[in-house]
Amino acid sequence: MADGQWYPPEWPDRIRAHAEGTLVPVAPKRAATVLLLKDTPDGPAVHMLRRRASMAFAGGAYAYPGGGVDPRDDDHQVRWAGPTRAWWADRLGVDEAGAQAIVCAAVRETYEEAGVLLAGPAPDAVVGDTTGDDWEADRAALVARDLSFAQFLDRRGLVLRSDLLGAWTRWITPEFESRRYDTWFFVAALPAGQRTRNASTEADRTVWIRPADAAAGYDKGELLMMPPTISTLRQLQPYATAAETLAAAPARDMTPVLARARLADGEIVLTWPGHDEFTKRIPTDLTTGGA
């Protein structure tokens, strides 16, 4: 393996079917993921989790906390601090209800999978400690979808701190995939007083790692990642602090990245526009793929 790029073994067959017009793309589901940062003496580190090897999708791959949008967060006005919903709608390229739901998903998933909560009792405050049995009961209810994030905020009297997030990039799962997501990536700094933990049932390891070190591990084939993950790691490397990274977020291009596949010279050529390093050439007679 030249690097740690992961793609599903069924892709060649699905790409062929897509090229032949026999595969109907499924609609992508909205999702959000968060690159949680903290400053260290050697520069910012990012919080990553390793998906369990037993997972059907991207088992063993490193990723960030994230997951799907809960539709219940579209229509309930949550207590909100930071840029308005209209501002976020323009930034994310959706309507105001969708913007609220996507931002809620980013904050909720960070809490569910890392135990870190970007919310506080007032617009200028952040929760300092999310440990304890009562917090864990609420987190488990969120994971089980017994409690919506809006209900959780109401119950706790908390304000969602949208100003602690920066929209960074957007990737859409290729049309030939069986499970597709339209994913908004955000950056955020670890709030003072909070600490991460592996709260995800889908991960067997979590690490704080410098983006350059994670990218080097990928380049050596030691760390398995999907294209959006390694791409965002490379994009983080120029910034000297978490605050500097967040300050750069508003100028980031949010045009969605969507892979394309074509048949050429007996090969399937898979490309991600603007990201040449991920180009894959797969022989048309290949029935299984690899990392």
Side-chain angles (χ1 to χ4, degrees):
M1 168 168 78
D3 55 36
Q5 185 174 345
W6 179 91
Y7 71 93
E10 67 271 15
W11 268 16
D13 287 339
R14 295 188 64 85
I15 291 171
R16 277 194 294 271
H18 183 263
E20 294 165 357
T22 58
L23 184 150
V24 178
V26 299
K29 298 179 179 179
R30 298 172 301 167
T33 192
V34 176
L35 287 64
L36 191 62
L37 304 166
K38 72 174 181 180
D39 290 323
T40 76
D42 298 319
V46 62
H47 180 71
M48 303 189 75
L49 52 84
R50 183 176 66 187
R51 293 172 59 82
R52 294 185 183 277
S54 58
M55 297 293 293
F57 182 78
Y62 281 79
Y64 313 112
V69 165
D70 183 344
R72 292 177 295 179
D73 291 332
D74 281 70
D75 56 8
H76 181 101
Q77 289 284 306
V78 303
R79 297 174 68 194
W80 188 274
T84 65
R85 292 169 179 80
W87 184 94
W88 278 108
D90 181 67
R91 183 77 182 108
L92 302 179
V94 296
D95 61 22
E96 290 188 31
Q100 174 181 281
I102 292 163
V103 171
C104 279
V107 177
R108 174 178 49 77
E109 288 288 339
T110 305
Y111 180 52
E112 287 183 9
E113 298 196 339
V116 170
L117 183 58
L118 304 176
D124 59 351
V126 185
V127 171
D129 184 5
T130 60
T131 61
D133 292 344
D134 58 335
W135 283 101
E136 179 57 24
D138 279 351
R139 193 195 66 80
L142 286 168
V143 172
R145 298 296 181 264
D146 294 333
L147 185 68
S148 75
F149 192 63
Q151 291 169 335
F152 165 73
L153 293 175
D154 284 346
R155 174 186 294 186
R156 290 273 176 180
L158 296 175
V159 180
L160 184 148
R161 291 288 306 275
S162 79
D163 55 317
L164 300 182
L165 288 168
W168 193 257
T169 190
R170 178 182 178 185
W171 287 63
I172 301 177
T173 309
E175 292 182 334
F176 43 81
E177 253 286 23
S178 57
R179 290 186 295 182
R180 302 186 63 215
Y181 296 94
D182 186 351
T183 305
W184 286 262
F185 288 71
F186 296 85
V187 291
L190 178 69
Q194 294 194 39
R195 62 177 184 265
T196 57
R197 61 190 178 92
N198 183 9
S200 172
T201 59
E202 298 180 354
D204 60 11
R205 183 189 184 209
T206 61
V207 295
W208 281 101
I209 187 169
R210 293 174 61 245
D213 293 338
Y218 168 90
D219 290 336
K220 296 175 184 176
E222 296 171 353
L223 301 183
L224 200 63
M225 299 179 200
M226 291 176 281
T229 309
I230 180 59
S231 173
T232 48
L233 283 170
R234 298 202 197 285
Q235 293 162 1
L236 293 177
Q237 291 183 48
Y239 303 102
T241 65
E244 189 178 306
T245 310
L246 280 162
R252 295 277 309 167
D253 182 6
M254 295 299 290
T255 302
V257 179
L258 175 64
R260 297 172 181 170
R262 58 186 173 86
L263 296 174
D265 301 325
E267 292 180 317
I268 297 167
V269 182
L270 180 60
T271 61
W272 279 260
H275 300 270
D276 292 344
E277 75 165 294
F278 305 129
T279 298
K280 285 284 187 183
R281 295 181 177 274
I282 308 166
T284 55
D285 59 355
L286 187 66
T287 57
T288 60

